[in-house]
Amino acid sequence: MTAPLQDAHQDSRTLADQVVERLQDDIVLGVLPPGTKLGEAELAARYGVSRGPLREAIRRLESRKLLERIPHVGTRVATLKLEDLIEIYRVREALEGMAARQAAENMSQAEIAGLWELLALHEQQQDLQEDTAYFQRAGDLDFHYRVIQGSHNRTLIDLLIDEIYHRVRMYRYQFSMTANRPRKALAEHRHIVEAIEARDGEMAELLMRRHISRARQYLEERQRRER
Amino acid sequence: MTAPLQDAHQDSRTLADQVVERLQDDIVLGVLPPGTKLGEAELAARYGVSRGPLREAIRRLESRKLLERIPHVGTRVATLKLEDLIEIYRVREALEGMAARQAAENMSQAEIAGLWELLALHEQQQDLQEDTAYFQRAGDLDFHYRVIQGSHNRTLIDLLIDEIYHRVRMYRYQFSMTANRPRKALAEHRHIVEAIEARDGEMAELLMRRHISRARQYLEERQRRER
DNA sequence: ATCAAGAATATTGTCGACAATTCAGCAACC
DNA sequence: GGTTGCTGAATTGTCGACAATATTCTTGAT
């Protein structure tokens, strides 16, 4: 009914793709809080599409574990418990460790230089102390994204980006989770890049695993405190 | 095989679910060879459903990387290159290593006993030399499957089962890949279970990683020979 | 003969309507 | 009073038809 406005010339993508993107943002950014019941008719109206493309979008986000669906009952926004996040960090430890190893083997000199620039930018922002929390969260993700891409392992990249990182982002927004140990984290990032630059895959993996393992231990600490 | 979770009741599953299962089997077992162009109307007729549920099934298998889809063009069965399989084995090395570590921490005594029984069965089959290739392939998957489950890490389990193992199975059927070093593999399996039983997570992870790494090196050897 | 442009065809994307299933509420019974 | 079975309202699952897009084939010119 609201279709004729944007006649598919700007976005050559399919309607379902656009809905996936918008719906995912609404979930990750918390516009649709965890546990929200999602009626198909309601959502279809919200995004101005029919139920067909909408259902397709729901399936995609379900496979990314952002939605939970029960046949004949309905769909709701996934509720991420701290326990789940700890499980995810175990997976991150394994996968990003391997990513760092392969990054040390496969990254180009230009990519490594880009990493150094990124770290310099982070350091500068930290000195200025302006909006530190926000930039540090985004910056941390930026760093990890780049190392993952640097592995040049398409399977690994897709797994981390499509299946893992959306949930990590959702959790961070949901709990307004500020970086818990910014200076130490930045120092660890630097050591990882040093190992990558030295083409020491084993060391890069070890350092990345310790880096993520420490973040997990912080979560486990918080979990113990919560009960 | 892939859905032992909720199979207790009748066929009350949705049509799309049934199509997913049948279509996935046809792909993994090679009934639909890699590269096959899949017309929606044709497939809908083949499985006796409308295009609606069929499209849903296609999306699910696309997200599992068993199908490749191009908007407005069509869907075809994914072609798995040896290069892709090597990437997958890197991911397996990381993820199953972590699975073995957590299995050593979390497996129950009953589960460990079950692992020993499984190994005894494999040994017996190997002595008899009956249909060794087939049983060894399935048996190897069984072993890894159980260790994965033993991690008691739902995120890790879902990742490996839903995103990785279907492609491994597809490749094995596709190339009639016989186990390349059965006796050694069985011995390595035993050592892994010993580490799990001793609750030595670090050792279990190390052994599992070496186990999978060796299989990857065999694939890389084969890759070099192919050109 | 080769290539380009345009029409014809086939396939996918989208939509609205109908059927099947679940859940809430109510009534009757133990 | 609590439980069980029924009824209906609402939501999801499925289907067939129509619109939009890509591919193929024809036709004409160089």
Side-chain angles (χ1 to χ4, degrees):
Chain A
M1 48 178 66
T2 56
L5 272 175
Q6 42 187 3
D7 258 71
H9 284 78
Q10 283 185 334
D11 286 319
S12 65
R13 298 169 307 168
T14 186
L15 269 185
D17 289 332
Q18 301 173 39
V19 174
V20 165
E21 192 169 318
R22 294 215 277 158
L23 182 53
Q24 174 168 300
D25 280 348
D26 286 344
I27 294 169
V28 170
L29 301 182
V31 179
L32 298 171
T36 306
K37 172 80 183 293
L38 298 180
E40 293 186 356
E42 169 199 356
L43 276 189
R46 177 188 178 101
Y47 297 115
V49 298
S50 160
R51 279 180 58 214
L54 182 93
R55 284 172 64 90
E56 186 178 323
I58 287 180
R59 293 315 170 326
R60 295 252 277 280
L61 296 181
E62 183 201 1
S63 78
R64 291 181 182 179
K65 302 285 165 51
L66 292 179
L67 294 178
E68 292 170 352
R69 193 174 64 89
I70 303 174
H72 294 286
V73 173
T75 307
R76 54 182 56 238
V77 180
T79 302
L80 202 52
K81 289 173 292 188
L82 192 52
E83 182 188 340
D84 299 323
L85 194 66
I86 291 172
E87 281 192 359
I88 289 175
Y89 267 66
R90 290 273 190 183
V91 172
R92 280 188 65 190
E93 183 179 330
L95 284 182
E96 294 201 43
M98 177 58 75
R101 173 185 289 262
Q102 296 206 258
E105 297 170 359
N106 301 329
M107 252 185 162
S108 72
Q109 290 298 341
E111 286 174 309
I112 294 176
L115 266 183
W116 280 124
E117 288 174 24
L118 186 69
L119 287 190
L121 185 67
H122 291 170
E123 194 163 16
Q124 179 185 339
Q125 284 169 353
Q126 206 168 50
D127 289 341
L128 295 176
Q129 295 283 359
E130 285 175 5
D131 240 356
T132 315
Y134 170 76
F135 281 120
Q136 265 165 12
R137 270 190 300 171
D140 181 61
L141 288 185
D142 267 356
F143 174 77
H144 285 270
Y145 268 110
R146 292 223 198 173
V147 173
I148 291 165
Q149 299 279 355
S151 74
H152 293 203
N153 181 329
R154 179 49 53 188
T155 304
L156 184 53
I157 294 169
D158 288 349
L159 258 191
L160 277 165
I161 302 299
D162 290 345
E163 310 290 329
I164 303 293
Y165 261 73
H166 297 308
R167 279 191 281 180
V168 175
R169 284 204 303 149
M170 178 168 80
Y171 195 91
R172 292 199 175 187
Y173 278 104
Q174 193 175 315
F175 288 78
S176 312
M177 205 166 124
T178 169
N180 49 317
R181 45 192 189 90
R183 299 210 93 85
K184 285 183 183 175
L186 184 55
E188 289 171 7
H189 286 183
R190 248 196 307 265
H191 283 121
I192 290 170
V193 179
E194 282 169 8
I196 290 175
E197 191 168 41
R199 304 301 184 185
D200 188 343
E202 200 169 350
M203 178 63 76
E205 172 163 21
L206 176 73
L207 292 175
M208 179 64 87
R209 286 189 65 150
R210 276 167 55 171
H211 177 58
I212 294 173
S213 178
R214 287 197 181 105
R216 173 178 52 78
Q217 286 164 17
Y218 170 78
L219 292 176
E220 287 173 345
E221 185 81 13
R222 186 158 150 174
Q223 186 185 39
R224 277 190 292 273
R225 227 177 293 134
E226 266 188 12
R227 48 179 81 143
Chain B
M1 195 177 290
T2 55
L5 277 174
Q6 40 183 350
D7 234 339
H9 48 293
Q10 65 222 8
D11 224 358
S12 71
R13 297 170 307 166
T14 188
L15 269 185
D17 289 332
Q18 302 175 36
V19 174
V20 165
E21 192 169 319
R22 293 215 276 157
L23 182 53
Q24 174 168 298
D25 281 348
D26 286 344
I27 294 169
V28 170
L29 301 183
V31 180
L32 298 172
T36 306
K37 172 80 184 292
L38 298 181
E40 293 186 356
E42 168 199 357
L43 275 188
R46 177 189 178 101
Y47 297 115
V49 298
S50 156
R51 280 180 54 213
L54 182 92
R55 284 173 64 90
E56 186 177 324
I58 287 180
R59 294 308 158 7
R60 295 252 279 279
L61 297 181
E62 183 200 0
S63 78
R64 291 181 183 178
K65 302 283 165 48
L66 291 179
L67 294 178
E68 292 170 352
R69 193 174 64 88
I70 303 175
H72 295 286
V73 173
T75 307
R76 54 182 55 238
V77 179
T79 301
L80 201 52
K81 289 172 292 188
L82 192 52
E83 182 188 340
D84 299 324
L85 193 66
I86 292 173
E87 282 191 0
I88 290 175
Y89 267 65
R90 291 272 189 182
V91 172
R92 281 189 64 191
E93 183 179 331
L95 284 182
E96 294 200 44
M98 178 57 74
R101 173 184 289 261
Q102 296 206 256
E105 297 169 357
N106 301 328
M107 252 185 161
S108 73
Q109 290 298 341
E111 286 174 309
I112 294 175
L115 265 184
W116 281 123
E117 288 174 26
L118 186 69
L119 288 191
L121 184 67
H122 290 171
E123 195 163 16
Q124 180 186 337
Q125 284 169 352
Q126 205 167 51
D127 288 343
L128 294 178
Q129 296 282 3
E130 286 176 4
D131 237 357
T132 314
Y134 171 77
F135 280 120
Q136 265 166 11
R137 270 190 300 171
D140 181 62
L141 289 184
D142 266 357
F143 174 78
H144 286 270
Y145 199 83
R146 290 221 200 176
V147 173
I148 292 165
Q149 298 278 357
S151 73
H152 293 204
N153 180 330
R154 180 49 54 188
T155 305
L156 184 53
I157 294 169
D158 289 347
L159 259 191
L160 278 165
I161 301 301
D162 290 344
E163 310 290 330
I164 303 293
Y165 260 73
H166 297 307
R167 276 190 283 179
V168 175
R169 284 204 301 147
M170 179 169 78
Y171 195 90
R172 291 198 177 188
Y173 278 103
Q174 192 175 316
F175 288 78
S176 313
M177 206 166 125
T178 169
N180 48 318
R181 43 193 191 91
R183 299 210 94 87
K184 286 183 181 175
L186 185 53
E188 288 171 6
H189 286 183
R190 250 196 305 267
H191 283 120
I192 291 170
V193 179
E194 282 171 7
I196 290 174
E197 191 167 42
R199 303 302 184 185
D200 187 343
E202 201 169 350
M203 178 63 74
E205 173 163 19
L206 176 73
L207 292 175
M208 179 63 89
R209 285 189 65 151
R210 276 167 53 171
H211 177 58
I212 294 173
S213 177
R214 288 198 181 106
R216 173 179 52 78
Q217 286 164 17
Y218 170 78
L219 292 177
E220 288 172 345
E221 185 81 15
R222 186 157 150 174
Q223 186 185 38
R224 276 191 292 274
R225 224 176 297 133
E226 267 188 11
R227 51 180 75 145

